[in-house]
């Protein structure tokens, strides 16, 4: 995997290598997420660091991935299959091309549009705002 | 809401005030998350800043909240009802009492144990580690 990371605020694509696909018993030692991670090992994803992680706590809707970076909204996507590496690359590149992680909904890969598990605003989102409570 | 925030790395409890409860049509202008947020307005949650946010993209399993802070794992919890303010306070205080956001599973409120939507490691989680891909 080439990690060119040209920006000051690099993007990470975290892939859970532990989650099982629900309703698809998996006796293998290697989980679907690990296959997906391996499938990305040769991909060109400039500005994006791909990492294996062990649990994003989205076990009921795995495989799971997260896109995140400093100053950006974090997104968790689920229900991914090992053959969807190209979808992940497309989504990660679009995410990395934004300053804040907010890719317009219609521009996201279809799988991302239909399988967003959650998102969290950037840590500094409220630095300049009033307290709300 | 008192925000004593005694630590250098304050914790935020983000409450989505836009999500509807699934299977419970809501014609009200004020959504369940807004009621939950309002219920916390008088609560004592030392070290935790409570904020209303407009979408955590967990619409199918709302009300949704997120707990997060610098250097901490971020957690998203769902399926919350307005009357669960005390559960949120308990969970937020336990989260804030850890250095990294990792509350042992058995010590979390029961609702948190059963309704964790996703979690994301802290931004600096991989600063000291080798690339994995």
């Amino acid at each position: 995997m080439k990690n060119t990371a040209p920006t000051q605020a690099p993007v990470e694509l975290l892939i859970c290598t532990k989650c099982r696909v629900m309703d698809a018993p998996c006796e293998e030692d290697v989980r679907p997420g690990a296959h997906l991670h391996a499938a990305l090992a040769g991909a060109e994803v400039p500005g994006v660091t791909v990492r294996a992680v062990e649990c994003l706590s989205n076990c009921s809707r795995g495989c799971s991935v997260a896109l995140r970076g400093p100053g950006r909204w974090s997104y968790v996507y689920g229900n991914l299959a090992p053959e969807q590496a190209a979808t992940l690359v497309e989504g990660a590149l679009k995410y990395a091309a934004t300053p804040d992680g907010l890719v317009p909904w219609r521009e996201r890969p279809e799988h991302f549009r239909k399988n967003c598990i959650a998102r969290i605003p950037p840590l500094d989102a409220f630095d300049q705002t009033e307290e709300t409570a």
Side-chain angles (χ1 to χ4, degrees), chain A residues 103-122:
Chain A
V103 179
W105 190 82
R106 288 180 187 280
E107 295 175 21
R108 297 177 202 171
E110 183 179 5
H111 188 89
F112 279 23
R113 293 202 299 269
K114 295 182 175 174
N115 294 277
C116 182
I117 304 301
R119 66 174 191 167
I120 303 175

Side-chain angles (χ1 to χ4, degrees), chain A residues 13 65-67 75-78 80 84-95 103 105 107-117:
Chain A
L13 170 61
V65 304
L67 280 165
Y75 280 83
V76 178
Y77 295 103
L80 285 150
Q84 287 179 289
T87 295
L88 272 191
V89 170
E90 178 193 353
L93 288 174
K94 286 181 173 173
Y95 179 88
V103 179
W105 190 82
E107 295 175 21
R108 297 177 202 171
E110 183 179 5
H111 188 89
F112 279 23
R113 293 202 299 269
K114 295 182 175 174
N115 294 277
C116 182
I117 304 301

Side-chain angles (χ1 to χ4, degrees), chain A residues 5-20:
Chain A
T7 66
Q8 289 187 305
V11 166
E12 288 176 312
L13 170 61
L14 310 179
I15 302 176
C16 178
T17 56
K18 287 290 181 186
C19 49
R20 300 172 185 275

Side-chain angles (χ1 to χ4, degrees), chain A residues 1-44:
Chain A
M1 170 67 60
K2 194 177 274 187
N3 290 297
T4 54
T7 66
Q8 289 187 305
V11 166
E12 288 176 312
L13 170 61
L14 310 179
I15 302 176
C16 178
T17 56
K18 287 290 181 186
C19 49
R20 300 172 185 275
V21 175
M22 292 303 281
D23 304 322
C26 173
E27 284 82 32
E28 294 178 275
D29 283 340
V30 180
R31 303 288 168 84
H35 287 297
L36 185 55
H37 180 254
L40 278 168
E44 287 274 355

